């Protein structure tokens, strides 16, 4: 069991905390697995009425661990990352995110599945998939354009533009923005409120708002095919090498 993800259930709220601070909370296969297992349990556990994601350290998460991507490319449906993404779609309990700093890659795209998204004023959101020779995941190729429009999504996905907390608020990615020391109290309050509300009404409301699960799953499958092909590509090898060597990639 990894301590890089902390989980606790208290007052009917499952809190999932990124805790790999020395690596900017970059997410390894073991971390995805722990989150997927906790979320699967929460789906059927009557003691859990809401899920709260947060992070220790100075950022939310630097996204997928890039060394893991290169050394153990997650190419199968049962890969830990796929299980985590599936749980985002299957989630029946409302999800709150408290984003304290930079959120990269899946750290951003997972927010599109959360119900209440609170950002610190200092938070920034980034999904630079093409910078890494990758493609969008977590059904974000569908959800992001639906939320913020195609042109803004293309800046984020294709040009690697970061979205500020103020922009996220403006474009409906964030529910609200808080001063850094007000973020966690606000997120905890929202999660506590959700945990006290009529559970069946919350469940139906979430289902209705989420839309078609099959459509999301089908999009994830399409993304996964392209993502898998890119993981094995020379483009990705160059992008990861450039990251480790702290230089710009050269794609020829
Ligand atoms: N995968 C693996 N290791 C990562 C990582 C990632 N995604 N992001 C950061 N780290 C590691 C760094 O290699 C470094 O390790 P080291 O101390 O052993 O050298 C440590 O975390 C600190 O990162 P550093 O880059 O020094 O911090 P920073 O504050 O200057 O920059 C980021 C933070 C997040 C902007 C930068 O690390 C980054 O761009 N990371 C890659 C993000 C990314 O592309 N994620 C994948 C999205 S699909």
């Amino acid at each position: 069991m990894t301590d890089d993800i902390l989980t606790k259930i208290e007052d009917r709220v499952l809190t999932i905390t990124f805790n790999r601070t020395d690596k900017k909370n970059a997410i390894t296969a073991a971390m995805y697995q722990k989150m997927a297992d906790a979320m699967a349990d929460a789906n059927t556990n009557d003691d859990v009425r809401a899920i709260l994601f947060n992070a220790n350290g100075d950022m939310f998460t630097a996204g997928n661990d890039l060394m893991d991507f290169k050394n153990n490319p997650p190419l199968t449906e049962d890969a830990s990352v796929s299980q985590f993404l599936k749980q985002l779609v299957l989630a029946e309990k409302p999800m709150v995110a408290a984003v304290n700093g930079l959120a990269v890659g899946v750290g951003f795209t997972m927010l599109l599945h959360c119900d209440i998204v609170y950002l610190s004023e200092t938070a920034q959101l980034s999904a630079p998939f093409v910078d890494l020779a990758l493609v969008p995941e977590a059904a974000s190729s569908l959800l992001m354009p639906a939320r913020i429009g195609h042109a803004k999504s293309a800046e984020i996905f294709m040009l690697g533009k970061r979205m500020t907390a103020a922009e996220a608020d403006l474009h409906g990615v964030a529910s609200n923005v808080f001063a850094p020391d007000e973020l966690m109290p606000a997120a905890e309050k929202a999660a506590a409120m959700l945990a006290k509300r009529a559970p069946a009404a919350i469940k139906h409301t979430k289902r209705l708002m989420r839309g078609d699960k099959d459509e999301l799953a089908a999009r994830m499958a399409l993304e996964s095919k392209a993502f898998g092909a890119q993981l094995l590509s020379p483009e990705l090898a160059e992008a990861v090498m450039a990251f480790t060597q702290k230089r710009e990639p050269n794609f020829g």
Side-chain angles (χ1 to χ4, degrees):
M1 248 332 154
T2 175
D3 285 339
D4 291 342
I5 290 289
L6 304 176
T7 61
K8 68 168 184 194
I9 297 175
E10 224 171 79
D11 298 332
R12 292 186 157 170
V13 176
L14 165 67
T15 302
I16 298 180
T17 305
F18 293 114
N19 188 44
R20 192 182 178 216
T21 53
D22 58 328
K23 296 287 183 190
K24 304 289 176 186
N25 294 327
I27 311 171
T28 59
M31 292 164 73
Y32 281 121
Q33 193 62 54
K34 190 160 175 186
M35 290 194 287
D37 291 346
M39 292 166 78
D41 173 71
N43 245 6
T44 53
N45 183 346
D46 287 343
D47 265 349
V48 177
R49 297 271 176 91
I51 299 175
L52 169 60
F53 290 98
N54 70 351
N56 288 333
D58 62 358
M59 75 173 60
F60 189 61
T61 168
N64 205 105
D65 186 288
L66 291 172
M67 309 321 143
D68 246 24
F69 258 166
K70 185 157 172 292
N71 300 332
N72 307 299
L75 298 171
T76 57
E77 278 249 334
D78 61 352
S80 305
V81 57
S82 309
Q83 291 187 46
F84 170 68
L85 298 180
K86 210 177 284 174
Q87 288 302 325
L88 290 176
V89 173
L90 294 177
E92 299 277 9
K93 312 288 166 80
M95 297 193 291
V96 179
V99 182
N100 55 321
L102 183 61
V104 185
V106 68
F108 185 174
T109 57
M110 66 180 276
L111 302 179
L112 302 170
H113 295 267
C114 290
D115 302 291
I116 306 285
V117 179
Y118 286 166
L119 303 188
S120 151
E121 286 159 355
T122 57
Q124 291 196 343
L125 310 179
S126 163
F129 294 110
V130 171
D131 288 7
L132 292 159
L134 288 169
V135 303
E137 35 66 321
S140 62
S141 61
L142 186 70
L143 295 173
M144 190 82 84
R147 187 78 63 93
I148 70 171
H150 179 99
K152 293 241 171 270
S153 302
E155 276 194 314
I156 286 165
F157 288 147
M158 296 186 189
L159 296 181
K161 183 178 179 291
R162 286 187 185 182
M163 180 181 266
T164 64
E167 287 168 334
D169 198 20
L170 183 68
H171 298 301
V173 171
S175 313
N176 219 331
V177 176
F178 295 90
D181 60 344
E182 288 169 11
L183 176 69
M184 268 315 286
E188 281 167 348
K189 187 172 168 196
M193 282 174 72
L194 288 166
K196 285 195 185 115
R197 305 210 147 211
I202 289 275
K203 184 168 80 179
H204 287 302
T205 303
K206 184 171 167 73
R207 277 189 189 162
L208 289 163
M209 288 175 72
R210 173 173 48 212
D212 187 351
K213 260 197 238 182
D214 293 342
E215 189 187 13
L216 293 176
R219 179 57 66 106
M220 276 189 189
L222 276 180
E223 290 171 348
S224 191
K225 211 166 160 206
F227 203 97
Q230 284 305 111
L231 278 179
L232 299 177
S233 71
E235 292 183 352
L236 178 106
E238 166 58 12
V240 173
M241 182 88 79
F243 176 72
T244 53
Q245 295 174 350
K246 300 190 190 294
R247 61 167 173 80
E248 286 290 306
N250 178 356
F251 296 116

